Amino acid sequence: MSRFHSYINSATTILESYHGDKPFAIYLKQYFASNKRFGSNDRKQVAALCYNYFRLGKAASNSNMTEKLLLGAFLCEQEFSKLLDNLKPEWNEHIGESLSQKTNLVADFFKLTDIFPFREKLSAGIDHERFCTSFLVQPSVFLRIRPAATSVVEKKLSKSGLSFEFIGDDCVQLPPATNVEEYLSIDKEVVIQDHSSQQVLNFLKPSSSQSSLLKTPFDSWDCCAASGGKSILLKDIFNKQVSLTISDIRASIILNLHQRFKRAGIKEYKYFISDISQPDFMPVSSEYDLVLCDAPCTGSGTWSRTPEQLHFFKEPAITHYSELQRKIVSQSFPHLRSDGLFVYITCSVFRQENEEMTRFIREDLSAELLFEEVLKGYSIKADSMYVSVFRKK
């Protein structure tokens, strides 16, 4: 048996034993740690086969595992493939062609828009075909340069030999899987943060025409803090003019945030651990000027980074998350002061989690909608997100 057949067999074994109950990157690392026979190149080849298989999403559902593994390699790779040259040479001859040319070649059993077959559920303005195409491309790494670190970061990047591009003044785009930690001080000099995620608070910036809506200094509450990226962004925008409170349901998240804030030089903040979807929760303060609600969601706008989630996705999850979002919003919104601002954010592309939640906040909570945007990241190999901003009447 050739090593290429061995790669196919190994990838098949891994995929058949994986059930989506943990991130695939973690599962794969654990699998290779338990199976020492795989050398460095073997791991790279097998991992690529697995990820390219997941990038097909719901498409080619009638193909067997081997066919889908080869199809994934053909559609996702652009350079000469020794594996395809041995197992599917007629495809390898076209490996460097455009995606449209390649999909035409396999059109009898593959349809691009089947990758994400939920077109009718998408938020307004999202191009279904372009969104499906984004799954076949590994997203870029994005950095946000922190205040006063621009010159240092520029010098370090120039010396690093890395390929990079500036998008605006403080956003840096790098190739997928770039090991940034080798060159820059994470959280101190730069924050690893997707381009779309960097844009969600633009409406609040002092340079915005709407900046007068938020009087400084002010109290803020990041009610679903998770990794804390939005709180660090808020702090970088307003510095000492903002008083931070963070909360999350998971104690481990708060512990990680303590370490991250320490690296970021953020020393003064309040925190608490609570399930804010429950009616009996109490925040550390009764009222805030600004509430950030980066709500738990399907994460569908980020699935090109974790394509295994699309593979295992079931439609009822949309309703599950939208119901959870309503609970969290209904519980957090009352702790906003009169004329205070409520920022609702998801990394979802589903209308039920986005526009329909905005309608709920506007109509059921009698809030004034000030701003709404779908951030379509697929044009620059970034995530897609949604943000809406309200004022409490």
Side-chain angles (χ1 to χ4, degrees), residues 20-287:
D21 52 342
K22 65 176 69 173
F24 185 64
I26 294 176
Y27 180 85
L28 198 58
K29 183 177 181 180
Q30 293 172 342
Y31 182 89
F32 286 142
S34 301
N35 294 268
K36 303 293 187 182
R37 69 181 185 278
F38 293 98
S40 175
N41 186 61
D42 297 334
R43 294 194 298 270
K44 181 179 179 180
Q45 295 292 332
V46 172
L49 280 170
C50 291
Y51 273 107
N52 290 339
Y53 167 88
F54 283 133
R55 291 192 177 281
L56 298 178
K58 307 292 187 179
S61 58
N62 293 325
S63 301
N64 63 39
M65 181 71 79
T66 297
E67 291 170 341
K68 288 190 70 173
L69 285 166
L70 294 174
L71 177 63
F74 174 58
L75 294 177
C76 296
E77 304 295 338
Q78 287 293 316
E79 298 180 357
F80 176 86
S81 167
K82 290 184 179 180
L83 182 140
L84 287 178
D85 198 45
N86 278 265
L87 303 182
K88 204 72 173 178
E90 64 272 27
W91 285 358
N92 200 46
E93 294 175 2
H94 302 273
I95 193 72
E97 294 180 0
S98 69
L99 182 60
S100 61
Q101 290 173 311
K102 292 200 281 187
T103 53
N104 285 336
L105 191 66
V106 295
D108 56 332
F109 63 95
F110 172 81
K111 185 178 180 182
L112 178 67
T113 51
D114 284 345
I115 291 178
F116 186 91
F118 311 107
R119 181 174 186 170
E120 300 305 315
K121 296 183 178 295
L122 285 172
S123 282
I126 292 180
D127 186 309
H128 181 228
E129 185 169 334
R130 293 184 69 187
F131 185 63
C132 288
T133 300
S134 71
F135 282 95
L136 301 177
V137 181
Q138 190 175 358
S140 298
V141 172
F142 292 92
L143 306 177
R144 182 175 62 81
I145 303 176
R146 302 200 63 212
T150 301
S151 60
V152 173
V153 171
E154 287 180 345
K155 289 178 182 178
K156 288 187 175 182
L157 285 174
S158 297
K159 292 180 180 180
S160 70
L162 295 173
S163 173
F164 66 92
E165 181 179 353
F166 272 86
I167 302 178
D169 295 330
D170 57 1
C171 180
V172 183
Q173 182 175 18
L174 300 104
T178 300
N179 189 1
V180 180
E181 292 86 346
E182 291 185 9
Y183 307 96
L184 298 166
S185 178
I186 305 304
D187 294 329
K188 182 179 179 180
E189 296 172 341
V190 297
V191 175
I192 299 175
Q193 187 172 32
D194 181 79
H195 178 265
S196 294
S197 184
Q198 296 183 34
Q199 311 307 308
V200 296
L201 300 183
N202 282 356
F203 184 81
L204 304 179
K205 289 183 176 180
S207 58
S208 167
S209 61
Q210 305 296 329
S211 61
S212 61
L213 292 171
L214 190 59
K215 305 298 182 181
T216 56
F218 64 93
D219 295 323
S220 72
W221 174 30
D222 187 350
C223 67
C224 302
S227 64
K230 309 297 189 305
S231 280
I232 297 177
L233 175 60
L234 186 67
K235 191 69 173 178
D236 285 349
I237 294 172
F238 291 99
N239 198 1
K240 295 181 180 180
Q241 297 298 308
V242 57
S243 174
L244 291 178
T245 296
I246 58 170
S247 68
D248 200 275
I249 190 175
R250 299 154 293 183
S252 59
I253 288 293
I254 297 298
L255 288 173
N256 288 337
L257 274 177
H258 290 329
Q259 296 302 314
R260 191 177 190 192
F261 280 6
K262 183 178 181 180
R263 293 193 298 271
I266 299 174
K267 299 177 181 179
E268 296 182 4
Y269 60 94
K270 299 175 184 177
Y271 69 92
F272 63 96
I273 301 164
S274 181
D275 181 356
I276 65 173
S277 68
Q278 299 301 312
D280 59 348
F281 100 98
M282 283 299 297
V284 296
S285 179
S286 58
E287 289 187 317

Side-chain angles (χ1 to χ4, degrees), residues 17 33 35 56 222 263 293-294 335 355 360:
S17 64
N35 294 268
L56 298 178
D222 187 350
R263 293 193 298 271
C293 182
D294 189 358
H335 296 282
E355 290 96 332
F360 167 76

Side-chain angles (χ1 to χ4, degrees), residues 131 134 138-140 142 167 173 194-197 301-302 304-305 375-385:
F131 185 63
S134 71
Q138 190 175 358
S140 298
F142 292 92
I167 302 178
Q173 182 175 18
D194 181 79
H195 178 265
S196 294
S197 184
T302 69
S304 59
R305 297 186 186 279
L375 295 160
K376 300 178 282 292
Y378 48 74
S379 61
I380 59 168
K381 300 182 182 180
D383 299 339
S384 292
M385 299 184 68

